[in-house]
Amino acid sequence: MAAGVEMTGEAAVAAPSPPPAAVVQSSPNSTVTSGGNNTETNAVAGSGPKEPDSKPEFQMQDMLEMLSKLKLNPLAKEFFPSSYSLDRNRGDQFAVSYFVQANKDSGNDGYPNNRRRRNNYNQGRRRLNGRAFRAQREDSIRRTVYVSDIDHNVTEERLAALFSGYGQVVDCRVCGDPHSRLRFAFVEFADEHSARAALSLCGTMLGFSPVRVLPSKTAILPVNPTFLPRSEDEREMCARTVYCTNIDKKVSQADVKNFFETRCGEVSRLRLLGDHVHSTRIAFVEFVMAESAIVALDCCGQLLGSQPI
């Protein structure tokens, strides 16, 4: 008996022409060999004694010729939908009929694919929202002035009072390190005319430094109202809480609490947060008294572990 050519269940390429003896795999668990005067079936161990193939030889030759012309193995797993499992009782002749070409207009489950239409609709809404947002942002920029060289003793209320002489001030944000000598701010007016008029304040002495006033190149980012205190109790809790950064990772929560209690007062609650990305951690420290939180602001720059907080 001549040596056979084996095709596994995963292979998609068949033999180009049937040799004197060929092997066609009808399922991943059995192999049928035909050729010469003997035909045998190698079944899975424990499945029973060998039985002769009942298919006529001319049907087997027709199948081999068909496979050699197609150069494909229709029994390979990738040709079957995931919902179809081969029924061995029906025979191999049903396998080819179950392979149906996918419809370009349907999804993986055979239903019409509306994803493109839905995405186009969402993209249109995003483009519309984006244009409206840019228009609103540009209007806000035209109504905002940039103020620099602000004395660190000047508060937002005092700055807003100075600029309110030129129009209604809707927002005022002082930025920068509160412990630096000079800071900067953004002042937003209710209308563009007031913002242009406020440019005449450039050079005005405010505290111990003359301020510079220029047209702003950016808008003030609105505050998310969900993060603002919603009750008197929450506002009072915020007044008793400080935010601390640049905390050494080797410092424990007990060390942070002891640091503030020995310098400022009793701590009622403390949350120490960090991750594996940043080299330092942050903390929210809530004191029993609001006066302790004010004293804690002077701890900025002091060493806690090996890092200045």
Side-chain angles (χ1 to χ4, degrees):
M1 175 176 169
V5 178
E6 183 177 355
M7 298 192 305
T8 62
E10 300 294 335
V13 179
S17 60
V23 177
V24 178
Q25 181 168 324
S26 59
S27 68
N29 297 325
S30 63
T31 304
V32 179
T33 306
S34 66
N37 297 325
N38 59 350
T39 302
E40 63 180 7
T41 301
N42 296 331
V44 180
S47 61
K50 300 178 181 178
E51 297 180 359
D53 191 359
S54 59
K55 294 183 179 180
E57 186 173 353
F58 71 91
Q59 289 185 0
M60 183 63 68
Q61 293 297 335
D62 291 343
M63 183 179 293
L64 290 174
E65 290 178 3
M66 180 185 67
L67 294 179
S68 64
K69 292 178 182 179
L70 292 176
K71 305 294 184 182
L72 297 172
N73 179 8
L75 299 179
K77 287 184 179 180
E78 55 267 30
F79 286 155
F80 289 92
S82 58
S83 60
Y84 172 72
S85 59
L86 183 62
D87 188 356
R88 298 178 186 173
N89 295 328
R90 295 183 177 182
D92 298 339
Q93 63 270 22
F94 292 93
V96 180
S97 63
Y98 275 91
F99 173 54
V100 182
Q101 184 177 1
N103 189 351
K104 294 181 180 179
D105 297 329
S106 63
N108 293 333
D109 53 1
Y111 291 97
N113 190 354
N114 296 324
R115 184 177 303 170
R116 178 176 299 176
R117 184 187 308 171
R118 194 161 54 246
N119 286 345
N120 289 341
Y121 174 72
N122 291 336
Q123 289 174 2
R125 285 203 308 176
R126 283 196 295 267
R127 285 195 294 268
L128 181 62
N129 294 338
R131 286 195 294 267
F133 174 77
R134 285 194 296 271
Q136 184 179 5
R137 181 175 179 272
E138 290 171 0
D139 175 67
S140 178
I141 292 175
R142 289 191 294 268
R143 293 186 286 105
T144 304
V145 295
Y146 169 75
V147 187
S148 63
D149 298 346
I150 302 174
D151 191 334
H152 72 280
N153 293 315
V154 175
T155 63
E156 289 181 344
E157 290 78 10
R158 185 177 177 185
L159 184 65
L162 173 65
F163 281 88
S164 62
Y166 291 85
Q168 181 185 356
V169 175
V170 297
D171 203 347
C172 178
R173 305 281 183 90
V174 176
C175 311
D177 187 356
H179 296 277
S180 63
R181 190 179 69 85
L182 298 176
R183 293 183 291 169
F184 62 95
F186 295 93
V187 180
E188 182 179 351
F189 291 89
D191 57 85
E192 185 178 349
H193 175 74
S194 300
R196 288 198 300 265
L199 297 177
S200 61
L201 286 172
C202 186
T204 302
M205 289 293 298
L206 186 61
F208 298 97
S209 174
V211 296
R212 297 177 60 212
V213 184
L214 301 171
S216 178
K217 296 181 180 179
T218 184
I220 298 177
L221 185 67
V223 176
N224 190 338
T226 59
F227 298 131
L228 296 177
R230 290 168 290 184
S231 64
E232 188 62 33
D233 291 340
E234 289 186 359
R235 281 189 285 270
E236 195 266 339
M237 183 183 66
C238 291
R240 294 185 284 105
T241 305
V242 295
Y243 170 68
C244 184
T245 66
N246 203 46
I247 300 177
D248 190 349
K249 278 195 170 183
K250 298 180 181 179
V251 174
S252 65
Q253 183 165 315
D255 294 333
V256 178
K257 183 178 180 180
N258 182 66
F259 174 87
F260 283 104
E261 284 190 334
T262 55
R263 292 167 173 78
C264 310
E266 184 181 355
V267 174
S268 61
R269 185 164 49 181
L270 187 149
R271 290 193 65 187
L272 185 61
L273 306 173
D275 52 34
H276 298 290
V277 178
H278 299 86
S279 58
T280 58
R281 293 192 288 181
I282 64 173
F284 293 91
V285 184
E286 180 184 345
F287 294 92
V288 175
M289 304 296 294
E291 292 76 11
S292 300
I294 297 174
V295 175
L297 297 178
D298 293 331
C299 295
C300 186
Q302 295 187 19
L303 283 178
L304 176 57
S306 61
Q307 299 282 348
I309 63 171

